[in-house]
Amino acid sequence: MNKPIASVARTREILKTYDLRARKGYGQNFLVDVSVVARCAEAAHAEQAVIEIGPGIGALTEQLALRSAHVRAYEVDERLLLVLRDTLQDYTNVEIILQDFLTCDIAASVRELKETYGGVSVAANLPYYITTPVLFSLFAQGRDIEWITVMVQKEVADRFAAPVNAPDYGTLSVESQYLYEVERLFNVPRTAFNPAPKVDSAIVRFHRRPETPQDEELTDYFDLVKACFKQRRKTIYNNLKEYLQDAQQTEQVLQRAGIDPGQRAQECSPGQFAVLLKEIRG
Ligand code: SAM
């Protein structure tokens, strides 16, 4: 019986056998702590189908395969294809796709998995250099992906989960919390990886809210939030006035939304921005 891939000894052996060096450019830090990957897989609601971004040498993939009907993993580094075929050979429910996740047709992939397996979640130890674009491309899939469980840089996790008025509360917090219930599950120290990154990490889980806007309304919401946070020190009135280019309309919409013009964007909840957008759209 093999040791789990996410162990110091097995990872070292795999890297040696394939003469592999982690590629920094692809954000490669492999998890070597099985309790971390098992907890992440357990939290991911992966029972039906699960999409993984960046399987690496298969540490999290293996734990997902033990809990899911089907794992579809997208890996960009062609060197890892052979490795994964070997490390995951015992799991018939794993499909590896050699492709940059950001170039794939996510909607089609999700639709197909949902039709076949009844539901799709996402689990990943994300390459940090593309955390935000990957998450926002997943957010764009709406309720087709109900659960997203990802490991990200600790500071980024803090921003996603920050409550109103906290120092880290900003556009990432508002936009994600408007669409999801965001839970910061647990921290992962840099020592849990080979090679160890320069920063600590944390697992964040996103659970899609039942009624959330899509398409144009969502784009308008994101634009409004960005505009209101444009200069953090300015009042919401000043930032919004610049966005709307109309002082009178700014006063009126803030008043109708019940927002004090003297407060700052960081004092507004995701729901208050939604009310404000409704007033602007009339
Ligand atoms: N899941 C493995 C683990 O936890 O040990 C590896 C995680 S490592 C932080 C990130 C992985 O994402 C690497 O295997 C890297 O090659 C892959 N990756 C980087 N950019 C990618 C992209 N655009 N699409 C798919 N995979 C990517």
Side-chain angles (χ1 to χ4, degrees), residues 26-28 30-31 52 54-56 74-76 100-101 125 129-130:
Y26 282 148
Q28 289 178 353
F30 304 119
L31 274 161
E52 185 189 4
Y74 291 86
E75 175 55 62
V76 73
D100 176 344
F101 182 71
N125 168 11
Y129 73 108
I130 48 168

Side-chain angles (χ1 to χ4, degrees), residues 5-23:
I5 299 168
S7 62
V8 174
R10 180 95 189 276
T11 297
R12 201 179 286 151
E13 180 195 306
I14 294 166
L15 296 180
K16 193 168 166 224
T17 306
Y18 290 91
D19 194 20
L20 269 180
R21 266 160 212 244
R23 279 192 180 151

Side-chain angles (χ1 to χ4, degrees), residues 120-193:
V120 190
S121 61
V122 167
N125 168 11
L126 285 179
Y128 294 160
Y129 73 108
I130 48 168
T131 298
T132 317
V134 166
L135 281 173
F136 277 86
S137 65
L138 295 170
F139 292 172
Q141 306 310 312
R143 273 190 72 76
D144 282 346
I145 306 175
E146 196 181 333
W147 297 92
I148 302 170
T149 308
V150 284
M151 184 177 307
V152 299
Q153 212 172 305
K154 198 161 152 255
E155 288 68 25
V156 178
D158 290 338
R159 284 162 61 199
F160 276 118
V164 180
N165 225 354
D168 288 324
Y169 184 74
T171 52
L172 271 193
S173 340
V174 178
E175 292 172 358
S176 59
Q177 290 171 30
Y178 182 44
L179 299 175
Y180 297 87
E181 192 186 321
V182 182
E183 283 171 279
R184 199 182 181 297
L185 297 184
F186 59 95
N187 290 337
V188 182
R190 60 194 81 183
T191 48
F193 301 86

Side-chain angles (χ1 to χ4, degrees), residues 44-103:
H45 291 262
E47 300 75 20
Q48 293 165 312
V50 60
I51 291 179
E52 185 189 4
I53 299 121
I57 59 172
L60 176 60
T61 327
E62 178 176 53
Q63 296 301 317
L64 291 169
L66 291 168
R67 294 166 173 84
S68 179
H70 189 83
V71 185
R72 177 173 287 170
Y74 291 86
E75 175 55 62
V76 73
D77 184 350
E78 71 287 345
R79 299 175 310 159
L80 298 175
L81 201 57
L82 264 183
V83 183
L84 287 162
R85 277 200 193 128
D86 177 15
T87 57
L88 298 170
Q89 62 180 305
D90 293 342
Y91 304 96
T92 52
N93 56 343
V94 175
E95 173 192 8
I96 305 291
I97 299 183
L98 183 64
Q99 190 178 0
D100 176 344
F101 182 71
L102 289 172
T103 66

